């Protein structure tokens, strides 16, 4: 086992995996190639009918590919292929696309290509990578986050999109694509990550000169606070940049953010709130930050020596066990699994609700513990 999971924790993960198999087989049969996001009263609607370029639209396909990889059941593969074809119209909607093309096409086309060698999927992935590279801003050295009216903004989330560029650089033998990814990661080291292991959500540059201007609050409580999903993006994203570059700066950064995250999560018995620097009351949870951080910690554990691994593995297991024991809906007739996910602190509509990427990272985390996961990133 690459993570040296205890026998007790492995048995727990096996039990959860059994529940996931039942739940996801039922969901796959019911949802099909619809694109889920947030269920209402336990029922998903098709997010693709509203917007094919919404940033979460790849996660259902990512779950399907993870299930196919772990079980070899063709239903998951066939359904994921249908979702990928639907997203072709999203590729055509150039004006609606932003930095999150990695979230969209890593989990669809690139996952398909890695597993099946489908040449059409390879082209889709490379096309998406070209779009991401086209958002690079040489003045400032960052990948622009959003579109018209939001010039000059870079965000921590984009670290999780960089693997699309690392993959495409290797596929095309194009060093320029890798250099763009590295430039954005270096910008994050300078301006987004803080010395104490906390991080900003977003930073703003002068779009003409690249001069750093400020760091507004973003989706956390306020400027200078500590939005936990941003912290999880930083752990996982920096660990991934280390995987693809071998640059120790990224490994050290991932460790720094991981230690900060673990210390704060432990204070609340591994029940992760939306922001580590928000008022104690009211308490708002974000399980999506917890499960993403768990996956990032397991990625980090793969990069360190044997005597360091237990810190990250044990913390990841505690995060996942807390979710599995307190925040999961296992009724196969109800859509979604992980409850109490939150999009942002100051918006009630997607605060403490089930969100599809919470399910994705929970599934990935369990499969990592069992050494059955597909490396999508």
């Amino acid at each position: 086992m690459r993570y040296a999971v205890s026998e007790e924790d492995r048995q727990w993960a096996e039990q959860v995996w059994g529940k996931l198999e039942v739940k996801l087989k039922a969901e796959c049969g019911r949802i099909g190639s619809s694109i889920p996001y947030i269920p209402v009263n336990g029922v998903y609607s098709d997010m693709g009918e509203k917007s094919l370029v919404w940033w979460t639209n790849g996660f259902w396909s990512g779950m399907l590919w993870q299930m196919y990889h772990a079980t070899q059941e063709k239903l998951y593969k066939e359904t994921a292929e249908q979702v990928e074809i639907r997203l072709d119209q999203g590729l055509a909607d150039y004006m609606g696309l932003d930095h999150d093309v990695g979230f969209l096409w890593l989990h669809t086309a690139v996952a398909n290509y890695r597993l099946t060698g489908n040449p059409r999927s390879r082209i889709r992935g490379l096309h998406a990578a070209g779009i991401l590279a086209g958002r690079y801003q040489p003045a400032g050295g960052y990948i622009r986050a959003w579109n018209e009216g939001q010039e000059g903004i870079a965000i921590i989330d984009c670290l999780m999109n960089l693997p699309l560029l690392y993959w495409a650089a290797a596929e095309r033998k194009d060093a320029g694509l890798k250099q763009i990814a590295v430039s954005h990661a270096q910008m994050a080291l300078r301006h987004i990550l803080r010395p104490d292991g906390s991080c900003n959500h977003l930073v703003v540059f002068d779009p003409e000169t690249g001069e750093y201007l400020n760091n507004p609050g973003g989706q956390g409580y306020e400027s200078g606070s500590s939005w936990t999903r941003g912290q999880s993006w930083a752990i996982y994203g920096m660990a991934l940049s280390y995987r693809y570059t071998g640059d120790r700066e990224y490994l050290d950064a991932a460790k720094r953010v991981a230690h900060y995250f673990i210390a704060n999560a432990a204070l609340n018995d591994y029940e992760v709130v939306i922001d580590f620097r928000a008022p104690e009351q009211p308490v708002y949870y974000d399980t999506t930050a917890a499960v993403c951080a768990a996956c990032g910690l397991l990625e980090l554990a793969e990069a360190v020596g044997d005597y360091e691994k237990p810190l990250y593995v044990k913390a990841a297991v505690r995060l996942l066990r807390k979710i599995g024991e307190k925040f999961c809906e296992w009724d196969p007739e109800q859509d979604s699994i992980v409850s109490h996910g939150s999009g942002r602190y100051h918006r009630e509509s997607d605060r403490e609700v089930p969100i599809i990427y919470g399910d994705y990272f929970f599934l990935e985390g369990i499969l990592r513990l069992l050494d059955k996961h597909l490396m999508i990133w």
Side-chain angles (χ1 to χ4, degrees):
M1 290 295 296
R2 73 178 74 185
Y3 303 115
V5 180
S6 72
E7 184 59 29
E8 178 189 348
D9 289 331
R10 180 177 174 79
Q11 289 178 5
W12 171 80
E14 289 281 10
Q15 291 172 357
V16 173
W17 168 236
K19 294 178 182 179
L20 285 165
E21 285 192 279
V22 172
K23 178 83 176 192
L24 290 172
K25 182 171 286 188
E27 280 197 342
C28 186
R30 185 168 57 246
I31 297 168
S33 62
S34 294
I35 299 175
Y37 177 39
I38 296 174
V40 177
N41 298 321
V43 178
Y44 280 129
S45 60
D46 187 355
M47 184 65 187
E49 294 178 355
K50 300 176 184 178
S51 170
L52 281 171
V53 296
W54 183 242
W55 77 276
T56 66
N57 285 1
F59 284 106
W60 172 236
S61 179
M63 294 174 70
L64 296 171
W65 285 119
Q66 291 287 5
M67 291 300 294
Y68 175 67
H69 180 260
T71 69
Q72 294 300 297
E73 293 191 30
K74 290 184 179 180
L75 173 64
Y76 297 118
K77 173 180 179 289
E78 292 166 354
T79 307
E81 288 170 339
Q82 293 169 25
V83 176
E84 181 180 333
I85 291 169
R86 288 191 68 191
L87 288 183
D88 279 349
Q89 186 55 45
L91 274 177
D93 183 12
Y94 179 81
M95 297 304 293
L97 293 170
D98 58 23
H99 67 287
D100 282 328
V101 293
F103 283 127
L104 287 164
W105 280 281
L106 279 168
H107 291 259
T108 54
V110 176
N112 187 352
Y113 175 65
R114 281 174 165 154
L115 277 175
T116 72
N118 184 332
R120 180 59 189 150
S121 295
R122 180 178 184 269
I123 290 170
R124 290 181 177 112
L126 292 174
H127 187 180
I131 292 170
L132 183 58
R135 303 186 65 81
Y136 180 66
Q137 307 296 301
Y142 62 94
I143 295 172
R144 177 180 172 177
W146 298 302
N147 296 322
E148 285 72 17
Q150 300 181 87
E151 291 83 0
I153 297 176
I155 65 176
I156 190 67
D157 315 40
C158 197
L159 289 177
M160 296 297 293
N161 290 287
L162 299 185
L164 179 64
L165 294 177
Y166 292 129
W167 167 80
E171 282 294 309
R172 295 295 303 271
K173 296 180 174 53
D174 185 341
L177 294 174
K178 184 176 181 180
Q179 288 163 9
I180 289 171
V182 167
S183 179
H184 185 91
Q186 287 291 319
M187 177 281 302
L189 289 177
R190 293 192 303 273
H191 297 297
I192 295 184
L193 274 64
R194 305 173 187 139
D196 67 353
S198 67
C199 62
N200 299 308
H201 174 206
L202 55 86
V203 291
V204 182
F205 299 90
D206 183 308
E208 295 292 334
T209 67
E211 177 189 3
Y212 171 82
L213 299 177
N214 57 35
N215 60 298
Q219 289 169 229
Y221 181 70
E222 64 183 1
S223 177
S225 67
S226 179
W227 179 50
T228 54
R229 184 149 48 88
Q231 301 292 152
S232 71
W233 295 146
I235 297 168
Y236 206 167
M238 283 295 170
L240 289 168
S241 276
Y242 175 71
R243 172 186 281 268
Y244 288 109
T245 68
D247 189 331
R248 294 278 312 188
E249 276 191 297
Y250 303 137
L251 180 62
D252 291 342
K255 288 182 182 182
R256 187 167 73 247
V257 183
H259 299 165
Y260 173 89
F261 193 103
I262 293 168
N264 280 275
L267 290 175
N268 201 35
D269 195 26
Y270 292 87
E271 295 179 11
V272 177
V273 294
I274 299 176
D275 195 309
F276 287 139
R277 293 178 182 166
E280 290 188 4
Q281 297 294 330
V283 176
Y284 294 133
Y285 294 111
D286 184 13
T287 54
T288 71
V291 289
C292 178
C295 293
L297 291 170
L298 292 174
E299 174 68 21
L300 183 52
E302 292 192 38
V304 300
D306 289 344
Y307 301 120
E308 273 190 280
K309 290 182 191 296
L311 169 65
Y312 305 118
V313 173
K314 288 178 181 179
V317 169
R318 287 173 182 171
L319 289 166
L320 291 169
R321 289 193 72 144
K322 181 62 67 172
I323 298 299
E325 292 162 4
K326 184 172 180 177
F327 295 105
C328 282
E329 169 58 70
W330 293 117
D331 182 353
E333 300 303 314
Q334 296 283 311
D335 288 337
S336 80
I337 301 168
V338 179
S339 67
H340 287 74
S342 296
R344 63 176 62 211
Y345 190 95
H346 295 292
R347 188 169 64 197
E348 186 175 357
S349 63
D350 60 353
R351 190 173 61 211
E352 295 196 324
V353 297
I355 311 178
I356 188 63
Y357 49 86
D359 290 2
Y360 170 79
F361 284 109
F362 185 66
L363 172 64
E364 183 190 308
I366 296 299
L367 290 176
R368 275 180 173 270
L369 292 180
L370 299 174
D371 207 14
K372 294 181 178 179
H373 77 289
L374 168 65
M375 186 56 194
I376 281 180
W377 304 99

